[in-house]
Amino acid sequence: QKEVEQDPGPLSVPEGAIVSLNCTYSNSAFQYFMWYRQYSRKGPELLMYTYSSGNKEDGRFTAQVDKSSKYISLFIRDSQPSDSATYLCAMSLRIQGAQKLVFGQGTRLTINP
Amino acid sequence: SAVISQKPSRDICQRGTSLTIQCQVDSQVTMMFWYRQQPGQSLTLIATANQGSEATYESGFVIDKFPISRPNLTFSTLTVSNMSPEDSSIYLCSVAGGNTIYFGEGSWLTVV
């Protein structure tokens, strides 16, 4: 079983729709949870970062963490064609002072005008 | 967050040759990381580079194939040696910031 599972998609939705992207994880020691956005042939860009259960909102984006279920989500409201990208979830914990980061497979999202 | 610059941004390389990727950060950082992202795949950590010490390689990656230099707190290089088509990937430099990491734009290598 992979430490982090993410549906690779692809996911295609019409412009203006609400998008839900999800990851599950197996290691309860993960402390920090991140979402990265990656445009084609570019480096990942940090989108959201959180460390506690609950919701964190930033504009049209909401990150949700449920530690009891080992489940995180990213919601995109009023989706735009410019949101078309691959979204990677990532989780981290500190091991002997060093940060260990584990990524999901990434979900490829297309927003159709 | 730090500004991370990588060179080259992309290159087409001949089989059997080696290529060195440079990573420059706009601030001093203790730890720099090199990742590989093969087509359609997620990110895999190659090694962690600390200034003044040997890089620490992850399972499946060896120094002979991916030698790394870290001469100071703002710069690192990754060399991909004796390249084969299987080395065609995006290679990403990253730095730690708080409890997360930030990435450069990546270097897209195609081996023919």
Side-chain angles (χ1 to χ4, degrees):
Chain A
Q1 181 187 11
K2 290 183 179 179
E3 281 190 288
V4 178
E5 296 275 4
Q6 182 177 7
D7 186 342
L11 181 62
S12 181
V13 302
E15 182 176 356
I18 296 174
V19 176
S20 172
L21 304 168
N22 310 296
C23 288
T24 59
Y25 61 96
S26 57
N27 189 346
S28 58
F30 284 129
Q31 300 165 308
Y32 307 99
F33 305 90
M34 289 139 281
W35 286 94
Y36 288 85
R37 177 175 61 194
Q38 186 175 24
Y39 292 112
S40 181
R41 302 197 177 192
K42 296 290 186 181
E45 169 194 8
L46 182 65
L47 204 56
M48 298 285 285
Y49 160 72
T50 185
Y51 57 87
S52 58
S53 283
N55 294 348
K56 181 178 181 179
E57 192 173 315
D58 184 0
R60 296 184 295 110
F61 299 90
T62 300
Q64 185 178 81
V65 174
D66 183 345
K67 289 188 176 182
S68 61
S69 301
K70 298 191 183 68
Y71 188 91
I72 69 170
S73 298
L74 178 71
F75 298 97
I76 306 174
R77 291 185 301 280
D78 187 24
S79 55
Q80 306 292 310
S82 59
D83 295 327
S84 298
T86 296
Y87 289 79
L88 296 135
C89 65
M91 308 176 189
S92 71
L93 69 160
R94 284 197 176 272
I95 300 177
Q96 297 177 336
Q99 199 74 17
K100 177 189 175 184
L101 211 69
V102 180
F103 286 87
Q105 301 98 300
T107 300
R108 194 169 67 188
L109 172 67
T110 300
I111 308 297
N112 301 303
Chain B
S1 63
V3 176
I4 306 167
S5 303
Q6 277 186 242
K7 291 181 182 179
S9 59
R10 60 178 59 202
D11 207 340
I12 298 174
C13 308
Q14 294 295 317
R15 188 188 305 239
T17 63
S18 300
L19 182 79
T20 296
I21 302 167
Q22 299 179 3
C23 179
Q24 180 76 50
V25 187
D26 69 342
S27 57
Q28 293 184 339
V29 293
T30 304
M31 298 173 73
M32 295 177 75
F33 309 91
W34 286 97
Y35 281 83
R36 180 175 73 181
Q37 187 177 31
Q38 293 176 304
Q41 303 297 313
S42 190
L43 285 74
T44 302
L45 181 64
I46 297 172
T48 301
N50 291 331
Q51 194 269 334
S53 63
E54 293 286 330
T56 303
Y57 288 82
E58 297 297 307
S59 176
F61 297 97
V62 295
I63 188 171
D64 289 346
K65 176 68 175 177
F66 298 100
I68 289 171
S69 78
R70 183 77 202 276
N72 58 52
L73 290 173
T74 63
F75 187 78
S76 179
T77 67
L78 168 76
T79 299
V80 186
S81 303
N82 188 24
M83 285 186 283
S84 67
E86 293 70 36
D87 294 318
S88 297
S89 294
I90 301 176
Y91 292 86
L92 294 151
C93 171
S94 64
V95 302
N99 293 303
T100 186
I101 65 171
Y102 300 92
F103 290 91
E105 284 291 291
S107 298
W108 179 272
L109 302 187
T110 301
V111 184
V112 297

